[in-house]
Amino acid sequence: MVRRAIVDKNGLKKGTWSREEDDKLRAYIQRYGCWNWRKIPKFAGLSRCGKSCRLRWLNYLRPGVKHGNFSEEEDDLIIQMHRKHGNKWSRIAKKLPGRTDNEIKNHWHTNLKKHHKQMQTAVQEKDDPRENSESVVDHIEMLETENSVTNATSQEKMGERISCLPSQDTFWEELSPLCCGYSSVPEVNCTAGTGLTSMKILEESNVDFWTGEGLIL
DNA sequence: AAGAGTAGCAACCGCATCCTT
DNA sequence: GAAGGATGCGGTTGCTACTCT
């Protein structure tokens, strides 16, 4: 299920990524971070365009990316999010840690679309009470809205909670190879360092690893 | 067994938006 | 504020594997 690798007129390779290319890109980004997607292929020794590298990293090589079957919970969430936001795949992906917008989009077109149509037909035939009740998505987003309203307070709390983090620069320098693809980092008030690794700190601080936002518990 | 049709998904393309100068 | 470059996003394509006839 892959595209044959070809070389275009500019000498840039297209199509399937080989293992060797994956290794090169992964090694480069883990070492230097993704400071400029256009220049990375050159420095990493790849005959690919920056866009292609970015996509490959975000969808496959990035640590934490889940592959394989979607759970029922994930399916439900996708369906509800799609009902609410339409084809806003990146937005939907933010609610599913480890899933990429591309994967969700594919999953929707191959599996959920059919299911969704069946559901809609069923709803039209028999008025589905779920259509009128508050969905999980609505509830989550309502909480998020409340969270953003009290953002200042939250940030203060966040500052307190992770005031033990290393300096901001050190912190994101260490994390940058893992956080590539996200153009912004959260405004985190970091102060004195500790012996904890950044990953460990993230795990313990209720900060969403992928978005940098505080998690709703 | 073989050819046709379909499903699944990685990857590309082009436009939109953001960021920097 | 304008322009140009970088990045993000969603639609679409192309290829292989699988299923059906």
Side-chain angles (χ1 to χ4, degrees), chain A residues 1-3 37-38 51 54 87-90 105 181:
Chain A
M1 279 178 249
V2 288
R3 287 172 187 238
W37 285 116
R38 285 217 169 177
K51 259 187 161 181
R54 177 184 163 271
N87 298 352
K88 298 293 174 191
W89 306 116
S90 58
K105 181 171 57 182

Coordinates of all heavy atoms in Angstrom, one line a residue, chain A residues 1-3 37-38 51 54 87-90 105 181, chain C residues 5-17:
Chain A
M1 N 0.8 -1.2 0.0 CA 0.0 0.0 0.0 C 0.9 1.2 0.0 O 0.7 2.2 0.8 CB -0.9 0.0 1.2 CG -2.1 -0.8 1.1 SD -3.0 -0.7 2.6 CE -2.8 -2.4 3.2
V2 N 1.9 1.2 -0.8 CA 2.8 2.4 -0.8 C 3.0 2.9 -2.2 O 2.9 2.1 -3.2 CB 4.1 2.0 -0.1 CG1 3.9 1.9 1.3 CG2 4.7 0.8 -0.8
R3 N 3.4 4.1 -2.3 CA 3.8 4.6 -3.6 C 5.2 4.2 -4.0 O 6.1 4.2 -3.2 CB 3.7 6.2 -3.6 CG 2.3 6.7 -3.5 CD 2.3 8.2 -3.3 NE 1.0 8.6 -3.1 CZ 0.4 9.5 -3.8 NH1 1.0 10.1 -4.8 NH2 -0.9 9.9 -3.6
W37 N 12.1 23.3 8.1 CA 11.7 22.1 7.3 C 12.3 22.1 5.9 O 12.7 21.1 5.3 CB 10.2 21.9 7.2 CG 9.6 21.4 8.5 CD1 8.8 22.0 9.3 CD2 9.9 20.1 9.1 NE1 8.4 21.2 10.4 CE2 9.1 20.0 10.3 CE3 10.7 19.0 8.8 CZ2 9.1 18.9 11.1 CZ3 10.7 17.9 9.6 CH2 9.9 17.9 10.7
R38 N 12.5 23.3 5.4 CA 13.0 23.3 4.0 C 14.5 23.0 3.9 O 15.0 22.4 2.9 CB 12.9 24.8 3.4 CG 11.4 25.0 3.0 CD 11.4 25.9 1.8 NE 10.1 25.9 1.3 CZ 9.7 26.6 0.2 NH1 10.6 27.4 -0.4 NH2 8.4 26.6 -0.2
K51 N 8.6 19.6 2.8 CA 7.2 19.2 3.1 C 7.1 17.7 3.4 O 6.4 17.3 4.3 CB 6.3 19.6 2.0 CG 5.5 20.9 2.2 CD 4.6 21.0 1.0 CE 3.5 22.0 1.4 NZ 2.5 22.2 0.3
R54 N 8.5 16.8 6.7 CA 7.6 17.2 7.8 C 6.5 16.2 7.9 O 6.2 15.8 9.0 CB 7.0 18.6 7.5 CG 6.0 19.1 8.5 CD 5.4 20.4 8.1 NE 4.2 20.6 8.9 CZ 3.0 20.2 8.5 NH1 2.9 19.6 7.4 NH2 2.0 20.4 9.3
N87 N -15.0 18.6 8.7 CA -13.7 18.0 8.3 C -12.5 18.8 8.9 O -11.5 19.0 8.2 CB -13.6 18.0 6.8 CG -14.6 17.1 6.1 OD1 -15.4 16.4 6.8 ND2 -14.7 17.2 4.8
K88 N -12.6 19.1 10.1 CA -11.5 19.8 10.7 C -10.6 18.7 11.4 O -10.7 18.5 12.6 CB -12.0 20.8 11.8 CG -12.8 21.9 11.2 CD -12.0 22.8 10.3 CE -12.8 23.8 9.5 NZ -12.1 24.5 8.4
W89 N -9.9 18.0 10.6 CA -9.1 16.9 11.0 C -8.1 17.2 12.1 O -7.9 16.4 13.0 CB -8.5 16.1 9.9 CG -9.5 15.8 8.8 CD1 -9.6 16.3 7.5 CD2 -10.7 15.0 9.0 NE1 -10.7 15.8 6.9 CE2 -11.4 15.0 7.7 CE3 -11.2 14.2 10.0 CZ2 -12.6 14.3 7.5 CZ3 -12.4 13.5 9.8 CH2 -13.1 13.5 8.6
S90 N -7.4 18.3 11.9 CA -6.4 18.6 12.9 C -7.0 18.9 14.2 O -6.4 18.6 15.3 CB -5.6 19.8 12.4 OG -6.4 20.9 12.2
K105 N -8.3 11.2 9.2 CA -9.0 11.5 7.9 C -9.2 10.2 7.1 O -10.3 9.9 6.6 CB -8.2 12.5 7.1 CG -8.7 12.9 5.8 CD -7.9 14.0 5.2 CE -6.5 13.7 5.1 NZ -5.7 14.8 4.5
G181 N 6.9 20.1 14.8 CA 5.6 20.1 14.2 C 4.7 21.0 14.9 O 3.6 21.4 14.3
Chain C
dG5 P 10.6 34.5 -1.4 OP1 12.0 34.5 -2.0 OP2 9.4 34.1 -2.2 O5' 10.7 33.6 -0.1 C5' 11.5 34.1 1.0 C4' 11.0 33.3 2.3 O4' 9.7 33.8 2.7 C3' 11.0 31.8 2.1 O3' 11.7 31.2 3.2 C2' 9.5 31.5 2.1 C1' 8.9 32.6 3.0 N9 7.5 33.0 2.7 C8 7.0 33.3 1.5 N7 5.7 33.6 1.7 C5 5.4 33.4 3.0 C6 4.2 33.6 3.7 O6 3.1 33.9 3.3 N1 4.4 33.3 5.1 C2 5.5 32.9 5.7 N2 5.5 32.7 7.0 N3 6.7 32.8 5.0 C4 6.5 33.0 3.7
dA6 P 11.8 29.6 3.2 OP1 13.2 29.3 3.7 OP2 11.3 29.0 2.0 O5' 10.7 29.3 4.4 C5' 10.9 29.9 5.6 C4' 9.9 29.4 6.6 O4' 8.5 29.9 6.3 C3' 9.7 27.9 6.6 O3' 9.7 27.5 8.0 C2' 8.5 27.6 5.9 C1' 7.6 28.8 6.1 N9 6.7 29.2 5.0 C8 7.0 29.3 3.7 N7 6.0 29.7 3.0 C5 5.0 29.8 3.9 C6 3.6 30.2 3.7 N6 3.1 30.6 2.5 N1 2.8 30.2 4.8 C2 3.4 29.9 6.0 N3 4.6 29.5 6.3 C4 5.4 29.5 5.1
dT7 P 9.6 25.9 8.4 OP1 10.3 25.8 9.7 OP2 10.0 25.1 7.2 O5' 8.1 25.7 8.6 C5' 7.4 26.6 9.6 C4' 5.9 26.3 9.5 O4' 5.4 26.8 8.3 C3' 5.5 24.9 9.7 O3' 4.6 24.8 10.8 C2' 4.7 24.6 8.4 C1' 4.3 26.0 7.9 N1 4.1 26.1 6.5 C2 2.8 26.6 6.1 O2 1.9 26.9 6.8 N3 2.7 26.8 4.7 C4 3.7 26.6 3.7 O4 3.5 26.8 2.6 C5 5.0 26.1 4.3 C7 6.1 25.8 3.3 C6 5.1 25.9 5.6
dG8 P 4.0 23.5 11.3 OP1 3.9 23.5 12.8 OP2 4.6 22.3 10.6 O5' 2.5 23.6 10.8 C5' 1.8 24.8 11.1 C4' 0.4 24.7 10.6 O4' 0.3 25.0 9.1 C3' -0.3 23.4 10.8 O3' -1.6 23.6 11.3 C2' -0.3 22.7 9.4 C1' -0.3 23.9 8.5 N9 0.3 23.8 7.2 C8 1.6 23.3 7.0 N7 1.9 23.3 5.7 C5 0.8 23.8 5.0 C6 0.6 24.1 3.7 O6 1.3 23.9 2.7 N1 -0.7 24.5 3.4 C2 -1.7 24.8 4.4 N2 -2.8 25.2 4.0 N3 -1.4 24.6 5.7 C4 -0.2 24.1 6.0
dC9 P -2.6 22.4 11.7 OP1 -3.4 22.9 12.8 OP2 -1.8 21.2 11.9 O5' -3.5 22.2 10.4 C5' -4.2 23.4 9.9 C4' -4.9 23.0 8.6 O4' -3.9 22.9 7.5 C3' -5.6 21.6 8.7 O3' -7.0 21.8 8.5 C2' -5.0 20.8 7.6 C1' -4.3 21.8 6.7 N1 -3.1 21.4 6.0 C2 -3.0 21.6 4.6 O2 -4.0 22.0 4.0 N3 -1.9 21.2 3.9 C4 -0.8 20.7 4.6 N4 0.3 20.4 4.0 C5 -0.9 20.6 6.1 C6 -2.0 20.9 6.7
dG10 P -8.0 20.7 8.8 OP1 -9.1 21.3 9.5 OP2 -7.3 19.6 9.4 O5' -8.5 20.3 7.3 C5' -9.0 21.3 6.5 C4' -9.1 20.8 5.1 O4' -7.7 20.6 4.5 C3' -9.8 19.4 4.9 O3' -10.7 19.6 3.9 C2' -8.7 18.5 4.6 C1' -7.6 19.3 3.9 N9 -6.3 18.9 4.0 C8 -5.6 18.4 5.1 N7 -4.4 18.1 4.9 C5 -4.2 18.4 3.6 C6 -3.0 18.3 2.8 O6 -1.9 17.9 3.1 N1 -3.2 18.7 1.5 C2 -4.4 19.2 1.0 N2 -4.5 19.5 -0.3 N3 -5.5 19.3 1.7 C4 -5.3 18.9 3.0
dG11 P -11.6 18.4 3.4 OP1 -13.0 18.9 3.3 OP2 -11.3 17.1 4.2 O5' -11.1 18.1 1.9 C5' -10.9 19.2 1.1 C4' -10.3 18.8 -0.3 O4' -8.9 18.5 0.0 C3' -10.9 17.5 -0.9 O3' -11.1 17.8 -2.3 C2' -9.9 16.4 -0.5 C1' -8.6 17.2 -0.5 N9 -7.6 16.6 0.4 C8 -7.8 16.3 1.8 N7 -6.7 15.8 2.3 C5 -5.8 15.8 1.3 C6 -4.4 15.4 1.3 O6 -3.8 14.9 2.3 N1 -3.8 15.6 0.1 C2 -4.4 16.1 -1.0 N2 -3.7 16.1 -2.1 N3 -5.7 16.5 -1.0 C4 -6.3 16.3 0.2
dT12 P -11.7 16.6 -3.2 OP1 -12.3 17.4 -4.4 OP2 -12.5 15.7 -2.4 O5' -10.4 15.8 -3.7 C5' -9.3 16.6 -4.3 C4' -8.2 15.6 -4.7 O4' -7.5 15.3 -3.5 C3' -8.6 14.3 -5.4 O3' -8.1 14.4 -6.7 C2' -8.0 13.2 -4.5 C1' -7.0 13.9 -3.6 N1 -6.8 13.4 -2.2 C2 -5.5 13.0 -1.9 O2 -4.6 13.0 -2.6 N3 -5.4 12.5 -0.6 C4 -6.4 12.4 0.4 O4 -6.2 12.0 1.5 C5 -7.7 12.9 -0.1 C7 -8.9 12.9 0.9 C6 -7.9 13.4 -1.3
dT13 P -8.2 13.1 -7.7 OP1 -8.3 13.7 -9.0 OP2 -9.3 12.2 -7.2 O5' -6.8 12.4 -7.5 C5' -5.6 13.2 -7.5 C4' -4.4 12.3 -7.3 O4' -4.4 11.9 -5.9 C3' -4.4 11.0 -8.1 O3' -3.1 10.9 -8.6 C2' -4.8 9.9 -7.1 C1' -4.2 10.5 -5.8 N1 -4.8 10.1 -4.5 C2 -4.0 9.6 -3.5 O2 -2.8 9.5 -3.6 N3 -4.6 9.3 -2.4 C4 -6.0 9.3 -2.1 O4 -6.5 9.0 -1.0 C5 -6.8 9.8 -3.2 C7 -8.3 9.9 -3.1 C6 -6.2 10.1 -4.4
dG14 P -2.8 9.9 -9.8 OP1 -1.9 10.7 -10.7 OP2 -4.1 9.4 -10.3 O5' -2.0 8.8 -9.1 C5' -0.9 9.1 -8.3 C4' -0.4 7.9 -7.6 O4' -1.2 7.6 -6.5 C3' -0.4 6.6 -8.5 O3' 0.8 5.9 -8.2 C2' -1.6 5.9 -8.0 C1' -1.7 6.3 -6.6 N9 -3.0 6.3 -5.9 C8 -4.2 6.6 -6.5 N7 -5.2 6.6 -5.6 C5 -4.6 6.2 -4.4 C6 -5.2 6.0 -3.1 O6 -6.3 6.1 -2.8 N1 -4.2 5.5 -2.2 C2 -2.9 5.4 -2.5 N2 -2.1 5.0 -1.5 N3 -2.3 5.6 -3.7 C4 -3.2 6.0 -4.6
dC15 P 1.4 4.8 -9.2 OP1 2.7 5.3 -9.6 OP2 0.4 4.5 -10.2 O5' 1.6 3.5 -8.2 C5' 2.2 3.7 -7.0 C4' 1.7 2.7 -6.0 O4' 0.3 3.1 -5.6 C3' 1.5 1.3 -6.6 O3' 2.4 0.4 -5.9 C2' 0.1 0.9 -6.3 C1' -0.4 1.9 -5.3 N1 -1.8 2.3 -5.2 C2 -2.5 2.2 -4.1 O2 -1.9 1.8 -3.0 N3 -3.8 2.4 -4.0 C4 -4.4 2.8 -5.2 N4 -5.8 3.1 -5.1 C5 -3.7 2.9 -6.4 C6 -2.4 2.6 -6.4
dT16 P 2.6 -1.0 -6.4 OP1 4.1 -1.3 -6.4 OP2 1.8 -1.3 -7.5 O5' 2.0 -1.9 -5.1 C5' 2.4 -1.5 -3.8 C4' 1.5 -2.2 -2.8 O4' 0.2 -1.6 -2.9 C3' 1.3 -3.7 -3.0 O3' 1.5 -4.3 -1.8 C2' -0.1 -3.8 -3.6 C1' -0.8 -2.6 -3.0 N1 -1.9 -2.1 -3.7 C2 -3.1 -1.8 -3.1 O2 -3.2 -2.0 -1.9 N3 -4.1 -1.3 -3.9 C4 -4.0 -1.0 -5.2 O4 -5.0 -0.6 -5.8 C5 -2.8 -1.3 -5.9 C7 -2.6 -1.1 -7.3 C6 -1.8 -1.8 -5.1
dA17 P 1.5 -5.9 -1.7 OP1 2.6 -6.3 -0.7 OP2 1.4 -6.5 -3.0 O5' 0.1 -6.2 -1.0 C5' -0.2 -5.4 0.2 C4' -1.6 -5.8 0.7 O4' -2.6 -5.1 -0.1 C3' -1.9 -7.3 0.7 O3' -2.7 -7.6 1.9 C2' -2.8 -7.4 -0.6 C1' -3.5 -6.1 -0.7 N9 -3.8 -5.7 -2.1 C8 -3.0 -5.7 -3.2 N7 -3.5 -5.2 -4.2 C5 -4.8 -4.8 -3.8 C6 -5.9 -4.3 -4.5 N6 -5.8 -3.9 -5.8 N1 -7.0 -4.0 -3.8 C2 -7.0 -4.3 -2.5 N3 -6.1 -4.9 -1.8 C4 -5.0 -5.1 -2.5

